[in-house]
Amino acid sequence: MSDKAPARERLLKAAAELFYREGVGATGIDAITAHAGVAKMSLYNNFSSKTDLVNAYIEARHREWQELYRERLAHAATPRDRVLAIFDSYVDHAEMAYSWGFRGCGLLNAAAELSVGDPARDIVASQKDEVETLFKQYLAEMKPDAGAAIDETAEHLSFLLEGAMSRAGLDGHDARLKTARRIAISIMDQL
């Protein structure tokens, strides 16, 4: 990143890379400021604490996924395509992380390090709820008369996607996500 980029932007980029690659707890303020090429005071001029920086990182990761999803959604003509757009956006997100060493969902990785009740965990939970709600919406558009099967199928798709992302993170590549997409097709065919 250019030395001319604003300090806040440089700090967020450095934090994103280090939090994802090394973990939130293992990454100290000194490492972030050194990676960003800014003075420690710049961090505190832009964020009230490391917790504030972690929250900003998680919010940025959420927005990043939403943008990828919207790009995929723009090309989805049917409700079925819209379900698959969610899976594809996760593959896209995985591909973005390869330069840092793919470790799975950055949101879940960060949330796993935060204590219960931490507001940043709520952001992560809301993204996961958002995905399941989207599944419900698109499945209901596909099969308006499916009743309770919609909620159950949406939950299955959600579990499938998040489980695949976790396993893909352990594997270090997106093959499990691509397999999950194929399974999602068969689940929708059965609905």
PDB file of all heavy atoms in Angstrom, residues 69-91:
ATOM      1  N   TYR A  69     -20.844 -10.822  -2.564  1.00  0.00           N
ATOM      2  CA  TYR A  69     -22.163 -11.427  -2.737  1.00  0.00           C
ATOM      3  C   TYR A  69     -23.008 -10.597  -3.720  1.00  0.00           C
ATOM      4  O   TYR A  69     -23.639 -11.141  -4.624  1.00  0.00           O
ATOM      5  CB  TYR A  69     -22.851 -11.573  -1.383  1.00  0.00           C
ATOM      6  CG  TYR A  69     -24.326 -11.811  -1.487  1.00  0.00           C
ATOM      7  CD1 TYR A  69     -24.824 -12.976  -2.061  1.00  0.00           C
ATOM      8  CD2 TYR A  69     -25.228 -10.849  -1.042  1.00  0.00           C
ATOM      9  CE1 TYR A  69     -26.193 -13.186  -2.184  1.00  0.00           C
ATOM     10  CE2 TYR A  69     -26.586 -11.058  -1.161  1.00  0.00           C
ATOM     11  CZ  TYR A  69     -27.057 -12.212  -1.735  1.00  0.00           C
ATOM     12  OH  TYR A  69     -28.404 -12.404  -1.867  1.00  0.00           O
ATOM     13  N   ARG A  70     -23.006  -9.267  -3.550  1.00  0.00           N
ATOM     14  CA  ARG A  70     -23.791  -8.412  -4.459  1.00  0.00           C
ATOM     15  C   ARG A  70     -23.312  -8.555  -5.906  1.00  0.00           C
ATOM     16  O   ARG A  70     -24.115  -8.537  -6.843  1.00  0.00           O
ATOM     17  CB  ARG A  70     -23.734  -6.954  -4.013  1.00  0.00           C
ATOM     18  CG  ARG A  70     -24.689  -6.640  -2.869  1.00  0.00           C
ATOM     19  CD  ARG A  70     -24.835  -5.151  -2.639  1.00  0.00           C
ATOM     20  NE  ARG A  70     -23.629  -4.513  -2.159  1.00  0.00           N
ATOM     21  CZ  ARG A  70     -23.285  -4.415  -0.870  1.00  0.00           C
ATOM     22  NH1 ARG A  70     -24.057  -4.894   0.058  1.00  0.00           N
ATOM     23  NH2 ARG A  70     -22.168  -3.810  -0.520  1.00  0.00           N
ATOM     24  N   GLU A  71     -22.005  -8.684  -6.096  1.00  0.00           N
ATOM     25  CA  GLU A  71     -21.476  -8.884  -7.451  1.00  0.00           C
ATOM     26  C   GLU A  71     -22.005 -10.181  -8.047  1.00  0.00           C
ATOM     27  O   GLU A  71     -22.404 -10.222  -9.211  1.00  0.00           O
ATOM     28  CB  GLU A  71     -19.946  -8.910  -7.427  1.00  0.00           C
ATOM     29  CG  GLU A  71     -19.321  -7.553  -7.192  1.00  0.00           C
ATOM     30  CD  GLU A  71     -17.811  -7.634  -7.004  1.00  0.00           C
ATOM     31  OE1 GLU A  71     -17.189  -8.640  -7.434  1.00  0.00           O
ATOM     32  OE2 GLU A  71     -17.249  -6.691  -6.417  1.00  0.00           O
ATOM     33  N   ARG A  72     -22.010 -11.237  -7.259  1.00  0.00           N
ATOM     34  CA  ARG A  72     -22.536 -12.523  -7.727  1.00  0.00           C
ATOM     35  C   ARG A  72     -24.047 -12.445  -7.955  1.00  0.00           C
ATOM     36  O   ARG A  72     -24.569 -12.982  -8.924  1.00  0.00           O
ATOM     37  CB  ARG A  72     -22.218 -13.633  -6.730  1.00  0.00           C
ATOM     38  CG  ARG A  72     -20.772 -14.053  -6.715  1.00  0.00           C
ATOM     39  CD  ARG A  72     -20.423 -14.733  -8.008  1.00  0.00           C
ATOM     40  NE  ARG A  72     -19.083 -15.284  -7.974  1.00  0.00           N
ATOM     41  CZ  ARG A  72     -18.683 -16.233  -8.787  1.00  0.00           C
ATOM     42  NH1 ARG A  72     -19.506 -16.754  -9.689  1.00  0.00           N
ATOM     43  NH2 ARG A  72     -17.450 -16.683  -8.724  1.00  0.00           N
ATOM     44  N   LEU A  73     -24.731 -11.769  -7.053  1.00  0.00           N
ATOM     45  CA  LEU A  73     -26.184 -11.655  -7.130  1.00  0.00           C
ATOM     46  C   LEU A  73     -26.624 -10.929  -8.405  1.00  0.00           C
ATOM     47  O   LEU A  73     -27.659 -11.250  -8.983  1.00  0.00           O
ATOM     48  CB  LEU A  73     -26.710 -10.928  -5.895  1.00  0.00           C
ATOM     49  CG  LEU A  73     -28.210 -10.900  -5.688  1.00  0.00           C
ATOM     50  CD1 LEU A  73     -28.767 -12.319  -5.558  1.00  0.00           C
ATOM     51  CD2 LEU A  73     -28.553 -10.082  -4.445  1.00  0.00           C
ATOM     52  N   ALA A  74     -25.826  -9.992  -8.853  1.00  0.00           N
ATOM     53  CA  ALA A  74     -26.160  -9.221 -10.052  1.00  0.00           C
ATOM     54  C   ALA A  74     -26.305 -10.113 -11.282  1.00  0.00           C
ATOM     55  O   ALA A  74     -26.979  -9.736 -12.249  1.00  0.00           O
ATOM     56  CB  ALA A  74     -25.096  -8.155 -10.298  1.00  0.00           C
ATOM     57  N   HIS A  75     -25.694 -11.293 -11.250  1.00  0.00           N
ATOM     58  CA  HIS A  75     -25.749 -12.208 -12.399  1.00  0.00           C
ATOM     59  C   HIS A  75     -26.664 -13.407 -12.144  1.00  0.00           C
ATOM     60  O   HIS A  75     -26.699 -14.328 -12.960  1.00  0.00           O
ATOM     61  CB  HIS A  75     -24.338 -12.689 -12.739  1.00  0.00           C
ATOM     62  CG  HIS A  75     -23.396 -11.557 -13.019  1.00  0.00           C
ATOM     63  ND1 HIS A  75     -23.433 -10.822 -14.177  1.00  0.00           N
ATOM     64  CD2 HIS A  75     -22.420 -11.010 -12.258  1.00  0.00           C
ATOM     65  CE1 HIS A  75     -22.506  -9.876 -14.133  1.00  0.00           C
ATOM     66  NE2 HIS A  75     -21.887  -9.970 -12.980  1.00  0.00           N
ATOM     67  N   ALA A  76     -27.386 -13.392 -11.044  1.00  0.00           N
ATOM     68  CA  ALA A  76     -28.252 -14.513 -10.677  1.00  0.00           C
ATOM     69  C   ALA A  76     -29.677 -14.226 -11.136  1.00  0.00           C
ATOM     70  O   ALA A  76     -30.330 -13.327 -10.624  1.00  0.00           O
ATOM     71  CB  ALA A  76     -28.202 -14.733  -9.171  1.00  0.00           C
ATOM     72  N   ALA A  77     -30.151 -15.010 -12.082  1.00  0.00           N
ATOM     73  CA  ALA A  77     -31.463 -14.754 -12.683  1.00  0.00           C
ATOM     74  C   ALA A  77     -32.618 -15.424 -11.945  1.00  0.00           C
ATOM     75  O   ALA A  77     -33.742 -14.948 -12.015  1.00  0.00           O
ATOM     76  CB  ALA A  77     -31.450 -15.219 -14.146  1.00  0.00           C
ATOM     77  N   THR A  78     -32.342 -16.497 -11.249  1.00  0.00           N
ATOM     78  CA  THR A  78     -33.407 -17.271 -10.605  1.00  0.00           C
ATOM     79  C   THR A  78     -33.128 -17.402  -9.101  1.00  0.00           C
ATOM     80  O   THR A  78     -31.989 -17.185  -8.667  1.00  0.00           O
ATOM     81  CB  THR A  78     -33.486 -18.689 -11.202  1.00  0.00           C
ATOM     82  OG1 THR A  78     -32.291 -19.410 -10.843  1.00  0.00           O
ATOM     83  CG2 THR A  78     -33.659 -18.655 -12.714  1.00  0.00           C
ATOM     84  N   PRO A  79     -34.121 -17.777  -8.319  1.00  0.00           N
ATOM     85  CA  PRO A  79     -33.876 -18.008  -6.888  1.00  0.00           C
ATOM     86  C   PRO A  79     -32.790 -19.059  -6.655  1.00  0.00           C
ATOM     87  O   PRO A  79     -31.954 -18.906  -5.760  1.00  0.00           O
ATOM     88  CB  PRO A  79     -35.229 -18.485  -6.366  1.00  0.00           C
ATOM     89  CG  PRO A  79     -36.233 -17.899  -7.296  1.00  0.00           C
ATOM     90  CD  PRO A  79     -35.562 -17.899  -8.638  1.00  0.00           C
ATOM     91  N   ARG A  80     -32.782 -20.094  -7.462  1.00  0.00           N
ATOM     92  CA  ARG A  80     -31.744 -21.125  -7.359  1.00  0.00           C
ATOM     93  C   ARG A  80     -30.364 -20.511  -7.597  1.00  0.00           C
ATOM     94  O   ARG A  80     -29.409 -20.804  -6.875  1.00  0.00           O
ATOM     95  CB  ARG A  80     -32.049 -22.224  -8.371  1.00  0.00           C
ATOM     96  CG  ARG A  80     -31.065 -23.358  -8.406  1.00  0.00           C
ATOM     97  CD  ARG A  80     -31.450 -24.278  -9.584  1.00  0.00           C
ATOM     98  NE  ARG A  80     -30.567 -25.378  -9.713  1.00  0.00           N
ATOM     99  CZ  ARG A  80     -30.817 -26.594  -9.280  1.00  0.00           C
ATOM    100  NH1 ARG A  80     -31.945 -26.864  -8.661  1.00  0.00           N
ATOM    101  NH2 ARG A  80     -29.957 -27.560  -9.476  1.00  0.00           N
ATOM    102  N   ASP A  81     -30.255 -19.672  -8.623  1.00  0.00           N
ATOM    103  CA  ASP A  81     -28.990 -18.983  -8.909  1.00  0.00           C
ATOM    104  C   ASP A  81     -28.584 -18.102  -7.734  1.00  0.00           C
ATOM    105  O   ASP A  81     -27.391 -17.949  -7.442  1.00  0.00           O
ATOM    106  CB  ASP A  81     -29.111 -18.114 -10.162  1.00  0.00           C
ATOM    107  CG  ASP A  81     -29.287 -18.903 -11.442  1.00  0.00           C
ATOM    108  OD1 ASP A  81     -28.983 -20.116 -11.468  1.00  0.00           O
ATOM    109  OD2 ASP A  81     -29.756 -18.293 -12.434  1.00  0.00           O
ATOM    110  N   ARG A  82     -29.567 -17.492  -7.068  1.00  0.00           N
ATOM    111  CA  ARG A  82     -29.261 -16.613  -5.932  1.00  0.00           C
ATOM    112  C   ARG A  82     -28.719 -17.419  -4.747  1.00  0.00           C
ATOM    113  O   ARG A  82     -27.812 -16.955  -4.055  1.00  0.00           O
ATOM    114  CB  ARG A  82     -30.488 -15.777  -5.570  1.00  0.00           C
ATOM    115  CG  ARG A  82     -30.791 -14.725  -6.644  1.00  0.00           C
ATOM    116  CD  ARG A  82     -31.856 -13.728  -6.241  1.00  0.00           C
ATOM    117  NE  ARG A  82     -33.223 -14.189  -6.427  1.00  0.00           N
ATOM    118  CZ  ARG A  82     -33.888 -14.198  -7.571  1.00  0.00           C
ATOM    119  NH1 ARG A  82     -33.293 -13.801  -8.689  1.00  0.00           N
ATOM    120  NH2 ARG A  82     -35.135 -14.604  -7.624  1.00  0.00           N
ATOM    121  N   VAL A  83     -29.254 -18.605  -4.522  1.00  0.00           N
ATOM    122  CA  VAL A  83     -28.687 -19.486  -3.481  1.00  0.00           C
ATOM    123  C   VAL A  83     -27.241 -19.807  -3.828  1.00  0.00           C
ATOM    124  O   VAL A  83     -26.344 -19.708  -2.982  1.00  0.00           O
ATOM    125  CB  VAL A  83     -29.518 -20.790  -3.332  1.00  0.00           C
ATOM    126  CG1 VAL A  83     -28.766 -21.824  -2.491  1.00  0.00           C
ATOM    127  CG2 VAL A  83     -30.877 -20.497  -2.719  1.00  0.00           C
ATOM    128  N   LEU A  84     -27.009 -20.169  -5.080  1.00  0.00           N
ATOM    129  CA  LEU A  84     -25.651 -20.529  -5.499  1.00  0.00           C
ATOM    130  C   LEU A  84     -24.719 -19.317  -5.485  1.00  0.00           C
ATOM    131  O   LEU A  84     -23.508 -19.474  -5.269  1.00  0.00           O
ATOM    132  CB  LEU A  84     -25.685 -21.192  -6.873  1.00  0.00           C
ATOM    133  CG  LEU A  84     -26.427 -22.536  -6.893  1.00  0.00           C
ATOM    134  CD1 LEU A  84     -26.515 -23.077  -8.316  1.00  0.00           C
ATOM    135  CD2 LEU A  84     -25.793 -23.542  -5.952  1.00  0.00           C
ATOM    136  N   ALA A  85     -25.263 -18.125  -5.671  1.00  0.00           N
ATOM    137  CA  ALA A  85     -24.449 -16.909  -5.595  1.00  0.00           C
ATOM    138  C   ALA A  85     -23.831 -16.760  -4.203  1.00  0.00           C
ATOM    139  O   ALA A  85     -22.707 -16.263  -4.060  1.00  0.00           O
ATOM    140  CB  ALA A  85     -25.288 -15.683  -5.944  1.00  0.00           C
ATOM    141  N   ILE A  86     -24.561 -17.185  -3.182  1.00  0.00           N
ATOM    142  CA  ILE A  86     -24.013 -17.131  -1.821  1.00  0.00           C
ATOM    143  C   ILE A  86     -22.812 -18.066  -1.717  1.00  0.00           C
ATOM    144  O   ILE A  86     -21.748 -17.674  -1.220  1.00  0.00           O
ATOM    145  CB  ILE A  86     -25.092 -17.480  -0.780  1.00  0.00           C
ATOM    146  CG1 ILE A  86     -26.215 -16.441  -0.814  1.00  0.00           C
ATOM    147  CG2 ILE A  86     -24.472 -17.578   0.625  1.00  0.00           C
ATOM    148  CD1 ILE A  86     -27.455 -16.816  -0.022  1.00  0.00           C
ATOM    149  N   PHE A  87     -22.970 -19.295  -2.201  1.00  0.00           N
ATOM    150  CA  PHE A  87     -21.845 -20.235  -2.182  1.00  0.00           C
ATOM    151  C   PHE A  87     -20.669 -19.681  -2.979  1.00  0.00           C
ATOM    152  O   PHE A  87     -19.522 -19.739  -2.539  1.00  0.00           O
ATOM    153  CB  PHE A  87     -22.284 -21.602  -2.725  1.00  0.00           C
ATOM    154  CG  PHE A  87     -23.027 -22.435  -1.719  1.00  0.00           C
ATOM    155  CD1 PHE A  87     -24.385 -22.262  -1.528  1.00  0.00           C
ATOM    156  CD2 PHE A  87     -22.359 -23.375  -0.955  1.00  0.00           C
ATOM    157  CE1 PHE A  87     -25.074 -23.020  -0.588  1.00  0.00           C
ATOM    158  CE2 PHE A  87     -23.039 -24.138  -0.007  1.00  0.00           C
ATOM    159  CZ  PHE A  87     -24.392 -23.962   0.175  1.00  0.00           C
ATOM    160  N   ASP A  88     -20.962 -19.130  -4.151  1.00  0.00           N
ATOM    161  CA  ASP A  88     -19.899 -18.581  -5.000  1.00  0.00           C
ATOM    162  C   ASP A  88     -19.187 -17.405  -4.335  1.00  0.00           C
ATOM    163  O   ASP A  88     -17.972 -17.237  -4.491  1.00  0.00           O
ATOM    164  CB  ASP A  88     -20.464 -18.163  -6.353  1.00  0.00           C
ATOM    165  CG  ASP A  88     -20.943 -19.356  -7.172  1.00  0.00           C
ATOM    166  OD1 ASP A  88     -20.480 -20.490  -6.936  1.00  0.00           O
ATOM    167  OD2 ASP A  88     -21.800 -19.142  -8.057  1.00  0.00           O
ATOM    168  N   SER A  89     -19.923 -16.601  -3.585  1.00  0.00           N
ATOM    169  CA  SER A  89     -19.286 -15.464  -2.908  1.00  0.00           C
ATOM    170  C   SER A  89     -18.314 -15.947  -1.831  1.00  0.00           C
ATOM    171  O   SER A  89     -17.298 -15.299  -1.580  1.00  0.00           O
ATOM    172  CB  SER A  89     -20.336 -14.521  -2.310  1.00  0.00           C
ATOM    173  OG  SER A  89     -20.997 -15.118  -1.207  1.00  0.00           O
ATOM    174  N   TYR A  90     -18.598 -17.074  -1.211  1.00  0.00           N
ATOM    175  CA  TYR A  90     -17.660 -17.648  -0.242  1.00  0.00           C
ATOM    176  C   TYR A  90     -16.399 -18.146  -0.949  1.00  0.00           C
ATOM    177  O   TYR A  90     -15.286 -17.989  -0.439  1.00  0.00           O
ATOM    178  CB  TYR A  90     -18.318 -18.782   0.542  1.00  0.00           C
ATOM    179  CG  TYR A  90     -19.056 -18.345   1.800  1.00  0.00           C
ATOM    180  CD1 TYR A  90     -20.043 -17.373   1.774  1.00  0.00           C
ATOM    181  CD2 TYR A  90     -18.768 -18.919   3.026  1.00  0.00           C
ATOM    182  CE1 TYR A  90     -20.725 -16.990   2.911  1.00  0.00           C
ATOM    183  CE2 TYR A  90     -19.438 -18.550   4.188  1.00  0.00           C
ATOM    184  CZ  TYR A  90     -20.415 -17.580   4.120  1.00  0.00           C
ATOM    185  OH  TYR A  90     -21.077 -17.191   5.261  1.00  0.00           O
ATOM    186  N   VAL A  91     -16.563 -18.746  -2.123  1.00  0.00           N
ATOM    187  CA  VAL A  91     -15.400 -19.165  -2.906  1.00  0.00           C
ATOM    188  C   VAL A  91     -14.578 -17.936  -3.280  1.00  0.00           C
ATOM    189  O   VAL A  91     -13.347 -17.937  -3.163  1.00  0.00           O
ATOM    190  CB  VAL A  91     -15.827 -19.956  -4.165  1.00  0.00           C
ATOM    191  CG1 VAL A  91     -14.630 -20.217  -5.080  1.00  0.00           C
ATOM    192  CG2 VAL A  91     -16.494 -21.272  -3.765  1.00  0.00           C
TER     193      VAL A  91
END
